[in-house]
């Protein structure tokens, strides 16, 4: 995509505090926008809509969305804490499944539990009229083993819920023919729940799909950069046990095989790109210091900024495992978990989210080419249809980034809830424009098609 095109934009006048509006066009936002960092997060998120700016699009629709999210705040806070206080790992999110589906039923959505054969997946839909477009939102639910909601999926869950309900009520109130679909997607943390839903056709009805993810970062900041593609590899080594002192020559040491593979990959790291990542663990069973281990298991993640780069790195890493099996005379069994792709942010959706987020004091940075260190199965969704996956900052203690116990604590704070609701407003308004504005959706689709052709962001 070019750096900018001519068609429609919204210009913020810092002197008047107003937003001038012209016809829509897709604009690349390379620079961040200025914003104030003063004030109280919770008060600003739950107070009445700000008076310092004109609505960016369809004032009546924007006002409805703002009011609905404001009115939902207490319910969403309670819902978030319920999920946070009952952490469940991937494909075991039974409490979250039942709690969230009951909530969506209570808010007049047509709910399908255990969606598409996945026990903890679910779908909630709301439709007005016939023949309109469908906007999709996502609610993740799973926690991490031992450290709970250390990636803030309780906040992701309520953002999806808040966006879906607010947009549904807006299209009903303003008589817009459209459908809102919220998917409860299990097992994001390595289980590839969204990939299974893609394979089962769970996204075919959507014209576009949106979600948001919390992270550590500067106050009131958000980003629409990419993420790393990832491939999960598992190697099992089968050797032969023996007395480690009496007859070690009779053994075939499966732990040695795992150790050699680990060492070979560690050496390989010197020759891979700084943006690539390899990390893994070694497991065993029935190990004792006086017995030559006859079995070991290695589980590794390999990551790179793009799916294509992961495929190249994959071949180099696999040779390390094969060499270890050869050196120790162990038999190796190899398996691969389907790849998780990089996130292809839709450029037009990212631009619109950035503009709307400014209204709520959020500084959103594009930086499409700068991949973050994590990976998400939502990347596979972005290859299927126009999609957006912004990250947003919540207050954390030093050293309290994602996948730490400090982040688990931060994800339950009032400040994190406030940041989530501000982000939900911007995401919901962006989603509403997808189903209302024909010219905007045409640009979104064009950006997606061009991204597929060039293999870049969509």
């Amino acid at each position: 995509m070019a750096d900018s095109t001519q068609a429609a934009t919204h210009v913020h006048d810092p002197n008047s505090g107003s937003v001038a509006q012209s016809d829509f066009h897709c604009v690349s936002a390379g620079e961040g926008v200025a914003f104030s960092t003063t004030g109280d997060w919770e008060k600003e998120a739950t107070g009445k809509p700000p008076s310092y700016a004109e609505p960016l699009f369809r004032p009546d629709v924007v006002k409805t969305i703002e009011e609905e999210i404001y009115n939902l705040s207490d319910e969403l806070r309670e819902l978030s804490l319920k999920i946070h206080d009952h952490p469940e790992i991937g494909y075991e999110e039974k409490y979250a499944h039942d709690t969230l589906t009951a909530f969506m039923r209570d808010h007049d959505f047509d709910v399908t539990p255990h969606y598409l054969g996945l026990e903890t997946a679910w779908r909630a839909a709301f439709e007005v009229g016939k023949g309109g477009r469908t906007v999709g939102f996502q609610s993740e639910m799973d926690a991490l083993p031992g450290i709970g909601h250390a990636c803030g999926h309780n906040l992701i869950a309520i953002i999806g819920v808040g966006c879906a309900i607010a947009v549904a009520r807006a299209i009903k109130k303003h008589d817009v023919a459209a459908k809102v679909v919220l998917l409860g997607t299990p097992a994001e943390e390595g289980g590839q729940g969204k990939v299974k839903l893609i394979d089962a056709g769970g996204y075919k009805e959507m014209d576009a799909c949106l979600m948001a993810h919390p992270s550590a970062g500067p106050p009131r900041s958000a980003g629409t950069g990419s993420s790393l593609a990832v491939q999960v590899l598992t190697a099992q080594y089968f050797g032969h046990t023996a007395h480690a002192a009496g007859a070690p020559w009779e053994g075939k040491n499966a732990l040695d095989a795992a150790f050699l593979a680990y060492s070979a990959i560690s050496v390989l790291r010197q020759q891979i790109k700084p943006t690539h990542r390899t990390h893994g663990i070694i497991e065993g069973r029935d190990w004792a210091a006086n017995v030559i281990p006859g079995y070991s298991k290695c589980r590794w993640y390999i990551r790179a900024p793009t799916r294509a780069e992961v495929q190249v790195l994959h071949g180099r890493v696999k040779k390390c495992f094969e060499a270890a099996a050869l050196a120790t005379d162990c038999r190796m069994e190899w398996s691969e978990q389907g790849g998780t792709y990089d996130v292809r942010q839709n450029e037009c959706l990212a631009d619109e989210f950035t503009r709307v987020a400014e209204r709520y004091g959020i500084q959103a940075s594009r930086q499409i080419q700068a991949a973050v260190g994590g990976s998400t199965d939502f990347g596979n969704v972005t290859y299927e249809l126009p999609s957006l996956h912004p990250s947003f900052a919540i207050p954390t203690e030093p050293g309290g980034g994602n996948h730490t116990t400090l982040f688990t604590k931060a994800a339950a704070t009032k400040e994190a809830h406030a940041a989530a609701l501000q982000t939900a407003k911007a995401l919901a308004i962006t989603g509403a424009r997808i189903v209302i504005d024909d010219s905007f959706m045409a640009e979104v689709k064009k950006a997606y098609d061009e991204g597929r052709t060039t293999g870049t962001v969509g």
Side-chain angles (χ1 to χ4, degrees):
M1 292 288 282
D3 288 340
S4 63
T5 59
Q6 294 298 321
T9 188
H10 308 277
V11 181
H12 182 253
D13 183 347
N15 296 316
S16 67
S18 65
V19 177
Q21 181 172 343
S22 62
D23 294 337
F24 170 78
H25 81 280
C26 185
V27 180
S28 178
E31 303 91 3
V33 293
F35 68 103
S36 170
T37 58
T38 61
D40 185 293
W41 285 57
E42 183 183 16
K43 181 178 179 181
E44 292 176 7
T46 58
K48 293 183 179 180
S51 59
Y52 56 80
E54 294 295 325
L56 294 174
F57 169 73
R58 280 289 300 265
D60 53 343
V61 173
V62 170
K63 181 180 179 182
T64 298
I65 289 172
E66 290 177 331
E67 290 177 347
E68 292 297 340
I69 290 179
Y70 166 68
N71 292 334
L72 285 166
S73 178
D74 290 345
E75 290 182 79
L76 293 175
R77 172 72 173 153
E78 182 181 0
L79 184 63
S80 173
L81 292 179
K82 284 181 178 179
I83 296 169
H84 184 277
D85 294 345
H86 292 83
E88 300 163 304
I89 62 174
Y91 297 118
E92 296 181 13
E93 311 97 330
K94 295 179 180 179
Y95 176 87
H97 171 280
D98 294 348
T99 302
L100 288 161
T101 53
F103 191 92
M104 296 309 294
R105 257 190 223 98
D106 289 345
H107 288 81
D108 302 322
F109 274 67
D110 180 16
V111 175
T112 306
H114 319 302
Y115 189 49
L116 296 177
L118 295 180
E119 184 66 21
T120 54
W122 51 273
R123 173 185 179 271
F126 187 98
E127 187 171 14
V128 174
K130 297 294 180 182
R133 284 187 291 274
T134 299
V135 61
F137 296 102
Q138 307 276 268
S139 286
E140 294 177 0
M141 307 165 287
D142 58 319
L144 288 155
I147 55 176
H149 279 287
C151 215
H153 290 190
N154 59 303
L155 298 174
I156 297 174
I158 66 163
I159 288 174
V161 167
C163 287
I165 294 174
V167 175
R169 290 179 178 173
I171 63 173
K172 180 179 180 181
K173 180 176 181 179
H174 303 288
D175 196 24
V176 175
K179 183 191 290 186
V180 179
V181 173
L182 174 62
L183 289 186
T185 59
E188 188 275 337
E189 297 291 354
Q192 298 192 308
K194 296 183 191 65
V195 178
K196 293 183 179 182
L197 288 171
I198 290 170
D199 292 342
Y203 292 85
K204 290 187 180 298
E205 65 183 316
M206 298 180 188
D207 290 284
C209 190
L210 303 88
M211 65 170 289
H213 197 298
S215 65
R220 296 194 184 88
S221 66
T224 54
S226 185
S227 68
L228 297 177
V230 62
Q231 179 79 57
V232 181
L233 310 174
T234 301
Q236 298 180 84
Y237 292 107
F238 299 87
H240 181 71
T241 59
H243 196 295
W249 54 85
E250 294 180 358
K252 295 180 181 179
N253 197 317
L255 177 57
D256 280 353
F259 172 76
L260 285 175
Y262 193 102
S263 299
I265 295 170
S266 295
V267 172
L268 176 65
R269 286 192 180 105
Q270 187 180 12
Q271 282 79 46
I272 64 176
K273 294 180 180 180
T275 52
H276 294 182
R277 298 287 185 270
T278 60
H279 45 95
I281 58 171
I282 297 172
E283 302 175 45
R285 61 174 180 236
D286 301 326
W287 283 356
N290 61 347
V291 178
I292 298 292
Y295 171 82
S296 67
K297 179 180 178 181
C298 304
R299 183 174 170 86
W300 280 78
Y301 284 46
I302 56 173
R303 307 184 198 243
T306 66
R307 174 186 175 189
E309 289 178 85
V310 165
Q311 291 171 338
V312 173
L313 184 59
H314 168 277
R316 301 179 71 186
V317 170
K318 187 174 182 180
K319 289 178 181 178
C320 295
F321 286 104
E322 291 171 338
L326 182 64
T328 57
D329 197 24
C330 288
R331 177 173 61 87
M332 183 182 77
E333 289 187 3
W334 180 261
S335 63
E336 302 173 9
Q337 190 171 321
T340 296
Y341 303 161
D342 48 302
V343 170
R344 288 182 172 181
Q345 304 278 20
N346 185 276
E347 188 169 333
C348 287
L349 292 178
D351 285 338
E352 183 68 1
F353 174 82
T354 297
R355 279 194 294 270
V356 179
E358 183 186 11
R359 170 177 172 80
Y360 306 110
I362 301 170
Q363 182 180 19
S365 173
R366 289 296 311 276
Q367 296 184 1
I368 291 292
Q369 301 302 326
V372 299
S375 306
T376 171
D377 57 3
F378 192 80
N380 297 59
V381 176
T382 69
Y383 275 67
E384 298 292 320
L385 72 162
S387 305
L388 183 66
H389 183 284
S391 61
F392 66 97
I394 65 172
T396 60
E397 297 179 33
N402 296 66
H403 291 210
T404 68
T405 54
L406 290 175
F407 199 87
T408 305
K409 178 181 176 182
T413 63
K414 292 181 179 179
E415 292 81 6
H417 177 72
L421 290 198
Q422 296 290 52
T423 303
K425 290 177 188 176
L427 201 68
I429 291 168
T430 303
R433 190 160 195 179
I434 288 167
V435 297
I436 295 173
D437 189 335
D438 294 339
S439 62
F440 175 69
M441 187 60 210
E443 291 287 342
V444 169
K445 184 66 165 60
K446 179 181 176 182
Y448 172 72
D449 290 339
E450 290 179 354
R452 292 185 66 184
T453 300
T454 62
T456 59
V457 292

